[in-house]
Amino acid sequence: MDDLKERLLPPKPLSASGRPFQAVDVSGLKKRGQGLRSWIRVDSSGNSQVIEVDKFTMMRRCDLPARDLRLLDPLFVYPSTILGREKAIVVNLEQIRCIITADEVLLLNSLDTYVLQYVVELQRRLQTAGMGELWQSEGTDLNRSRGSRNYDNMFGNTSPDYLPFEFRALEVALETACTFLDSQAAELEIEAYPLLDELTSKISTLNLERARRLKSRLVALTRRVQKVRDEIEQLMDDDGDMAEMYLTEKKGRMESPLYGEQSILGYRSNDGTISVSAPVSPVSSPPDSRKLEKCLSIARSRHESMRSSDSNPESIEELEMLLEAYFVVIDSTLNKLTSLKEYIDDTEDFINIQLDNVRNQLIQFELLLTTATFVVAIFGVVAGIFGMNFEISFFEYPHAFKWVLIITGVTGALIFAGFLWFFKHRRLMPL
């Protein structure tokens, strides 16, 4: 484990006497809360291994601030983010939380299916790309010996196997995240449409509760898909951020002899003036000078990347095409969720119309029942009058009670018919 830590740590700076400085106490950092964390490392050849690195070592290794590593912490929930830094690309896309450099991918170790799928797919593509490059080099030598033309070089090779390593790793991360979100959207569609169709035919409390939970899941998934889409769109709109993500090109530029001369003699701007002086030794210089030199080096590298993107607009075309392809995929998933949400809204409107119709029918029935109750109350009034304790000559006729019932019934029917005509005239109920 100690040898592994030594390989992960950058080279130790030398003092003025040629002796290395004292190493940082990693165990002390662990005691202060910087515990080791398991990472899956995949190199450019497709080889993978599980390593344990503490947070401070990872910051030094990838030249990242602590806030960027906090985005990868599984204990916190952060929205999807793709950040281009000086020496790495920080990717936080759903389950895929990794750091991509020009030579390797450092992925948080997890037993999640999509994390393992990402590692397997990245290894397969890297190994396939290595075999393709070997085959192309042998074929190029053979064609050169025969004097034939290389049509791939003539028309340009746009295969994704010839992308830089960081873009291959980024493409697999985008593909895994888009596949995961699209599969969740498909599962939601399979569950939603039968439920909504059943809800339109039978409105019950159980179906309404299931529809409520379904809509909550839909809103949460739509928010996640929208965040990934906005992140890709934001990268596509900013040429500077895309140019910052060309890690292999920046690494080759920094390792080139021309870049070394510019670092020693100073960076010469477009007008021919030297804007950065020669670097000062970090051992003999005061802390302010070291801070100034660090700021100048960062500004110089960023200016180099911006100048390369401004001078050659086609340099970011391959990354832009890559992002645009997955932007179309995630936009299609968002359209599915939007269509499903519209279907849910239409179902809710239909249910509300049905409920309003039932409510109106109940009101009409109540109105008819109230009218019938009023007519029946007339019989109660007549019965009350004839039940009073007084004598009248009308009671002596044998058919008097029958005529009272007939007259009262006809009067009640006329009153009820009058109410119905009034309701129809006022359009209070369909008759």
Side-chain angles (χ1 to χ4, degrees):
M1 185 63 66
D2 296 335
D3 297 337
L4 184 59
K5 291 180 183 178
E6 291 294 332
R7 289 198 301 269
L8 293 175
L9 286 172
K12 300 177 182 178
L14 299 177
S15 62
S17 60
R19 297 179 179 179
F21 285 105
Q22 185 178 0
V24 180
D25 187 7
V26 181
S27 61
L29 291 176
K30 181 178 179 181
K31 293 179 181 179
R32 291 195 297 269
Q34 305 287 346
L36 297 178
R37 180 166 293 173
S38 180
W39 297 78
I40 300 176
R41 177 182 177 271
V42 181
D43 58 12
S44 58
S45 301
N47 302 320
S48 63
Q49 63 180 117
V50 179
I51 60 176
E52 292 185 358
V53 187
D54 61 88
K55 183 178 180 181
F56 183 74
T57 304
M58 186 61 65
M59 290 168 56
R60 295 177 57 189
R61 180 184 181 88
C62 302
D63 195 12
L64 292 175
R67 63 178 180 271
D68 290 346
L69 290 181
R70 198 175 297 117
L71 295 175
L72 307 179
D73 198 336
L75 299 179
F76 300 98
V77 179
Y78 290 99
S80 298
T81 309
I82 302 176
L83 300 177
R85 297 308 186 203
E86 182 66 25
K87 295 182 180 180
I89 300 174
V90 181
V91 178
N92 177 19
L93 294 175
E94 297 299 321
Q95 284 83 359
I96 307 302
R97 302 188 178 193
C98 62
I99 302 174
I100 302 174
T101 65
D103 302 320
E104 61 185 3
V105 176
L106 297 169
L107 183 74
L108 279 175
N109 193 3
S110 175
L111 297 179
D112 189 84
T113 305
Y114 286 91
V115 175
L116 300 178
Q117 179 182 351
Y118 172 80
V119 176
V120 172
E121 181 65 19
L122 180 60
Q123 289 179 332
R124 186 188 67 81
R125 295 194 182 186
L126 291 176
Q127 293 172 359
T128 304
M131 294 176 60
E133 290 174 0
L134 178 62
W135 179 84
Q136 185 190 19
S137 61
E138 293 177 355
T140 303
D141 295 338
L142 181 60
N143 291 336
R144 188 175 302 170
S145 62
R146 293 181 179 179
S148 61
R149 293 184 179 181
N150 191 345
Y151 292 99
D152 292 338
N153 295 331
M154 180 184 301
F155 296 104
N157 196 332
T158 58
S159 174
D161 294 339
Y162 294 91
L163 290 173
F165 169 75
E166 62 271 15
F167 293 163
R168 300 180 198 173
L170 180 61
E171 181 185 10
V172 178
L174 289 171
E175 181 179 352
T176 305
C178 293
T179 304
F180 172 70
L181 294 174
D182 189 71
S183 63
Q184 284 199 341
E187 293 177 0
L188 204 60
E189 281 184 332
I190 295 174
E191 183 181 355
Y193 286 112
L195 174 61
L196 296 176
D197 294 338
E198 181 182 357
L199 186 60
T200 55
S201 60
K202 180 182 178 181
I203 302 175
S204 62
T205 305
L206 179 60
N207 290 338
L208 290 174
E209 179 63 22
R210 291 171 60 190
R212 185 191 64 83
R213 292 197 298 264
L214 181 69
K215 188 173 182 180
S216 301
R217 290 169 52 192
L218 175 64
V219 171
L221 183 60
T222 304
R223 189 181 299 114
R224 290 157 54 192
V225 173
Q226 182 69 43
K227 179 57 182 175
V228 175
R229 179 186 180 276
D230 293 342
E231 189 67 24
I232 297 177
E233 185 178 11
Q234 183 180 358
L235 281 176
M236 291 172 59
D237 293 339
D238 197 333
D239 295 344
D241 289 345
M242 287 192 291
E244 193 74 18
M245 298 172 70
Y246 278 76
L247 304 179
T248 303
E249 182 179 349
K250 289 194 296 184
K251 180 181 178 181
R253 190 186 307 118
M254 293 179 63
E255 293 177 353
S256 63
L258 180 61
Y259 186 86
E261 293 180 3
Q262 291 180 354
S263 300
I264 297 175
L265 301 177
Y267 178 73
R268 186 174 300 275
S269 60
N270 295 330
D271 55 357
T273 60
I274 297 178
S275 58
V276 179
S277 59
V280 185
S281 173
V283 178
S284 59
S285 59
D288 294 339
S289 300
R290 277 179 283 178
K291 292 180 180 179
L292 179 61
E293 175 61 25
K294 184 177 181 180
C295 294
L296 290 176
S297 62
I298 295 175
R300 180 171 60 246
S301 61
R302 291 183 177 177
H303 189 74
E304 282 281 342
S305 62
M306 291 297 295
R307 189 183 68 162
S308 63
S309 63
D310 294 339
S311 60
N312 189 9
E314 297 181 356
S315 60
I316 61 174
E317 183 179 357
E318 55 185 7
L319 178 58
E320 187 175 6
M321 292 177 63
L322 174 65
L323 294 176
E324 186 176 357
Y326 288 97
F327 177 80
V328 173
V329 174
I330 199 66
D331 189 64
S332 175
T333 305
L334 184 61
N335 291 334
K336 290 181 183 179
L337 298 176
T338 304
S339 301
L340 181 57
K341 185 177 183 303
E342 292 177 354
Y343 192 81
I344 293 178
D345 293 339
D346 294 340
T347 305
E348 289 180 349
D349 295 338
F350 180 75
I351 292 174
N352 291 330
I353 292 173
Q354 282 187 330
L355 294 177
D356 291 339
N357 187 26
V358 173
R359 191 180 300 111
N360 292 335
Q361 291 177 357
L362 291 175
I363 293 174
Q364 293 172 7
F365 178 75
E366 182 182 3
L367 188 58
L368 288 175
L369 187 61
T370 305
T371 305
T373 305
F374 176 75
V375 173
V376 174
I378 297 176
F379 286 89
V381 173
V382 174
I385 293 174
F386 280 94
M388 291 181 181
N389 190 13
F390 63 90
E391 294 183 359
I392 188 171
S393 60
F394 185 74
F395 292 159
E396 298 177 358
Y397 293 97
H399 301 289
F401 183 71
K402 181 175 66 174
W403 284 106
V404 169
L405 291 179
I406 292 174
I407 294 172
T408 305
V410 171
T411 305
L414 292 175
I415 294 174
F416 188 75
F419 273 110
L420 293 181
W421 176 85
F422 178 77
F423 294 153
K424 182 178 181 181
H425 180 69
R426 291 291 184 177
R427 295 180 180 179
L428 296 178
M429 63 176 62
L431 295 174

